[in-house]
Amino acid sequence: ICRYPTEHLCLLCCQQAHTVTKKEIMAANLRITCIVLAVLCCVLASATIQQENPRLVKPGDNSWDYMLLVVEWIGSACIGPGVPKTCVVPTNINDFTMHGLWPERNDNTWPSFCDNNDPFDINQVSDLLPQMKIDWYDAYDPVNGTSFWAHEWDKHGTCAKSDSKLADQHAYFKAVLELRSQANIYQNLDNSFIESSNSTSYSMIDIQNAIS
């Protein structure tokens, strides 16, 4: 479910998820209470949007208005053009996994790579690794499993850390894992009788209603 193969649909998903402001996140201590997780787009589609629209990034402007919690259905991670042969979906992971927490602006632009002097350091998140290897699984690099996390921190986390509650790598990754748990997407979909299937399709509105 939730596999949207076109850039247009994926961009629509992300636009419809513009519901949480920076002020609201800070006030709620990162407990997002109104997430419309319409960003159930595959990692390839969402990555393509940002790569092919460089004008949506404003160089030198690290400001942002809200955070976008992005998840993906791990079952579709290895499906589609350009997927590396090393892509593996383990049988013990059957849930939505993290893609990232992205600072975004209300005009549909975003900051990117805000601090090249603070590269990803796995030692800073060592206590989170057991959970990250499941909830933030890297299907493209199942052996090392760090390149995905490094990319998310370098591109998005370094911009998110302007919020004092996300000021370092441990705080950022810990917050993302907690938000994923709070969203409880799989259970909410299951409660609405929406389940993964190779033959049954679900409308966008039904998915939104189930998880909003």
Side-chain angles (χ1 to χ4, degrees), residues 60-122:
D61 183 357
N62 297 341
S63 66
W64 52 272
D65 299 307
Y66 64 93
M67 305 294 286
L68 188 65
L69 182 67
V70 185
V71 301
E72 59 191 16
W73 178 245
I74 192 63
S76 65
C78 297
I79 299 175
V83 174
K85 294 181 179 180
T86 56
C87 190
V88 175
V89 176
T91 57
N92 66 314
I93 301 179
N94 186 32
D95 202 342
F96 289 92
T97 56
M98 282 309 310
H99 187 147
L101 185 65
W102 302 349
E104 301 275 328
R105 303 191 188 98
N106 293 328
D107 63 358
N108 293 334
T109 64
W110 54 82
S112 180
F113 298 102
C114 295
D115 187 356
N116 293 330
N117 295 318
D118 187 15
F120 177 70
D121 178 5
I122 195 169

Side-chain angles (χ1 to χ4, degrees), residues 7-195:
E7 296 175 36
H8 173 73
L9 282 176
C10 192
L11 183 59
L12 176 63
C13 290
C14 295
Q15 290 175 337
Q16 290 178 334
H18 293 179
T19 60
V20 184
T21 67
K22 179 179 179 180
K23 181 178 180 181
E24 289 168 338
I25 290 178
M26 295 176 67
N29 192 25
L30 288 174
R31 292 195 297 265
I32 293 181
T33 58
C34 183
I35 302 176
V36 181
L37 283 170
V39 289
L40 307 179
C41 313
C42 66
V43 60
L44 291 177
S46 58
T48 299
I49 288 176
Q50 294 201 2
Q51 291 173 357
E52 294 186 354
N53 291 274
R55 66 182 181 277
L56 297 180
V57 179
K58 299 176 180 178
D61 183 357
N62 297 341
S63 66
W64 52 272
D65 299 307
Y66 64 93
M67 305 294 286
L68 188 65
L69 182 67
V70 185
V71 301
E72 59 191 16
W73 178 245
I74 192 63
S76 65
C78 297
I79 299 175
V83 174
K85 294 181 179 180
T86 56
C87 190
V88 175
V89 176
T91 57
N92 66 314
I93 301 179
N94 186 32
D95 202 342
F96 289 92
T97 56
M98 282 309 310
H99 187 147
L101 185 65
W102 302 349
E104 301 275 328
R105 303 191 188 98
N106 293 328
D107 63 358
N108 293 334
T109 64
W110 54 82
S112 180
F113 298 102
C114 295
D115 187 356
N116 293 330
N117 295 318
D118 187 15
F120 177 70
D121 178 5
I122 195 169
N123 293 318
Q124 295 190 35
V125 296
S126 58
D127 62 311
L128 302 175
L129 290 179
Q131 185 178 2
M132 290 173 65
K133 289 178 179 179
I134 296 177
D135 295 344
W136 207 325
Y137 177 76
D138 186 356
Y140 286 8
D141 187 17
V143 177
N144 298 314
T146 60
S147 58
F148 188 15
W149 305 332
H151 173 77
E152 289 303 303
W153 168 256
D154 295 345
K155 184 173 183 178
H156 304 289
T158 55
C159 301
K161 70 176 185 177
S162 61
D163 186 321
S164 61
K165 294 182 175 64
L166 303 171
D168 56 53
Q169 297 185 33
H170 188 275
Y172 174 79
F173 284 97
K174 185 174 185 291
V176 176
L177 293 171
E178 289 176 348
L179 288 171
R180 176 196 171 277
S181 178
Q182 292 172 22
N184 202 9
I185 303 168
Y186 190 91
Q187 186 61 54
N188 288 334
L189 289 171
D190 188 60
N191 291 343
S192 297
F193 305 101
I194 297 177
E195 58 186 19

